[in-house]
Amino acid sequence: MFYSSRMTTLKKIAVTIGDPAGIGPEIVLKAIMSHEIAGLREPIIIGDIAVLEEAVEKLNIPVDLNSLKIINTGEIKDRNFQRCKPTAEGGRACVSYIKKAVELALNKEVDAIVTAPISKESLKMAGFIWPGHTEMLAELTTTKDYAMMFYSDKLKLILVTIHTALRNVPDLIKREKVLQTIMLAKKACDMMGIDNPRIAVAGLNPHAGEAGIFGDEEIKEIIPAVNEAQASGISASGPYPADTLFHRAYNGEFDIIVCMYHDQGLIPLKMIAFDKAVNVTIGLPIIRTSPDHGTAYDIAWEGIANPSSMIEAIKLAVRLRTN
């Protein structure tokens, strides 16, 4: 009810089609045409018209492209492009879409951007060094302090470390970084309209270190960060053992969890909300959301991709813009 009653407050939203070889073009078109997004006045699709024309025809998507506002970047010029695998061509294309969307958002020509999935391998093949959307968006907007936040109805979380090998994580858990992420968690809750949010901080080690028996990151870095956040008036607590924390948050005890590393948060989130979870980049000067799944090359261009997460990403962009 929240979304449908206030959808018309967002006039323009840019939606990139992601990696042309993946499910992005399909889920974007399906989402834009869904009844749940019907109240959105002017979605702007950013991609290549050749890709969209092929998607409509090959996948039998009932949409008249002439009725939609489309920005054609011209990276892919015909319908004979490679599909269902990472390619340099796809990497160059999706970067062109994202750059255009960011340009529009920074110039306030759109109110928010929603990005379809891209491939890190495609980026690398195309010669780009960004490990993903988040780092790319931070650089394009000259943002220093940012974090990946993930939203679902029952579980919300934010990450201290993002795309890095697990062996690197303990050395990256520093008081300053944990505190910064707690503060971004508070900002995320403000954007979602959550008053006085209860922010839970997960431990890094089993049993949150068990008083230093299983590791001292909690004692040296995480607890001081929590204490400093509390001193600034933020309702943060922890660190809590991760094996019980997500159950507690799922049952409503906390509003958001600060997770120490990628899979600590993403495994439970995707277990309960794989088709509904949304990724939000917190800290940017623009609003950006994205489906919390990848390019799904294994089912791409077969007409069977589920647009639910893309629909939720658009709806959440509307909510964040409204707030």
Side-chain angles (χ1 to χ4, degrees):
M1 291 298 294
F2 178 90
Y3 297 117
S4 61
S5 65
R6 303 177 72 175
M7 186 73 75
T8 55
T9 62
L10 185 65
K11 294 182 179 179
K12 295 183 180 180
I13 182 168
V15 185
T16 65
I17 67 170
D19 190 332
I23 63 172
E26 178 182 354
I27 62 172
V28 166
L29 290 173
K30 286 181 175 179
I32 292 298
M33 298 307 297
S34 71
H35 70 277
E36 294 180 75
I37 308 300
L40 193 61
R41 289 187 175 181
E42 192 178 359
I44 302 170
I45 299 177
I46 303 177
D48 285 304
I49 192 66
V51 176
L52 293 167
E53 288 174 344
E54 181 70 357
V56 169
E57 182 176 318
K58 182 176 176 60
L59 305 178
N60 296 314
I61 301 174
V63 56
D64 177 8
L65 293 179
N66 292 321
S67 68
L68 301 176
K69 184 165 184 179
I70 299 171
I71 295 178
N72 179 30
T73 65
E75 189 68 39
I76 296 177
K77 295 178 173 55
D78 60 59
R79 292 159 69 169
N80 186 29
F81 56 92
Q82 289 185 299
R83 299 159 211 190
C84 305
K85 65 178 182 180
T87 66
E89 179 184 45
R92 289 190 297 270
C94 62
V95 169
S96 73
Y97 311 152
I98 297 162
K99 284 183 175 180
K100 184 60 178 178
V102 170
E103 175 190 331
L104 293 175
L106 289 176
N107 291 335
K108 302 190 184 304
E109 296 178 52
V110 297
D111 296 287
I113 68 174
V114 178
T115 59
I118 64 175
S119 163
K120 297 172 179 61
E121 188 174 352
S122 290
L123 292 182
K124 184 177 180 181
M125 293 171 70
F128 299 108
I129 61 172
W130 298 300
H133 257 129
T134 303
E135 295 84 357
M136 186 193 315
L137 290 163
E139 182 173 323
L140 292 175
T141 59
T142 63
T143 301
K144 181 180 178 181
D145 297 336
Y146 59 92
M148 292 176 72
M149 191 272 283
F150 295 88
Y151 173 94
S152 71
D153 285 343
K154 297 287 288 184
L155 199 61
K156 300 164 187 65
L157 55 94
I158 193 167
L159 306 181
V160 175
T161 64
I162 306 177
H163 299 122
T164 188
L166 191 57
R167 70 175 63 193
N168 299 332
V169 170
D171 292 336
L172 296 173
I173 302 301
K174 300 298 182 183
R175 179 193 62 81
E176 296 83 1
K177 182 63 174 174
V178 176
L179 176 61
Q180 175 195 105
T181 310
I182 294 172
M183 295 175 69
L184 288 170
K186 172 64 166 60
K187 180 176 182 178
C189 290
D190 290 343
M191 292 171 66
M192 292 184 288
I194 301 173
D195 296 326
N196 302 313
R198 300 159 298 170
I199 301 171
V201 180
L204 171 67
N205 298 294
H207 298 218
E210 195 76 71
I213 297 173
F214 303 137
D216 60 7
E217 288 83 5
E218 285 79 10
I219 294 173
K220 290 184 176 180
E221 309 293 344
I222 301 176
I223 291 174
V226 173
N227 290 341
E228 190 167 343
Q230 291 173 342
S232 70
I234 297 175
S235 182
S237 60
Y240 298 104
D243 59 355
T244 57
L245 176 56
F246 293 94
H247 178 73
R248 295 170 65 182
Y250 180 85
N251 286 320
E253 190 173 343
F254 302 108
D255 296 302
I256 192 168
I257 300 175
V258 175
C259 301
M260 294 300 115
Y261 58 94
H262 186 277
D263 284 9
Q264 184 183 58
L266 271 291
I267 289 174
L269 181 81
K270 291 189 176 183
M271 176 66 72
I272 66 166
F274 186 83
D275 292 328
K276 294 286 188 179
V278 178
N279 175 15
V280 186
T281 309
I282 301 298
L284 300 178
I286 61 176
I287 293 171
R288 177 263 175 165
T289 66
S290 178
D292 182 29
H293 59 66
T295 53
Y297 291 132
D298 57 325
I299 63 168
W301 290 92
E302 295 182 12
I304 59 175
N306 185 342
S308 295
S309 189
M310 174 58 77
I311 291 170
E312 294 301 319
I314 295 173
K315 289 164 61 178
L316 183 59
V318 172
R319 177 178 177 180
L320 297 179
R321 177 63 179 86
T322 301
N323 287 345

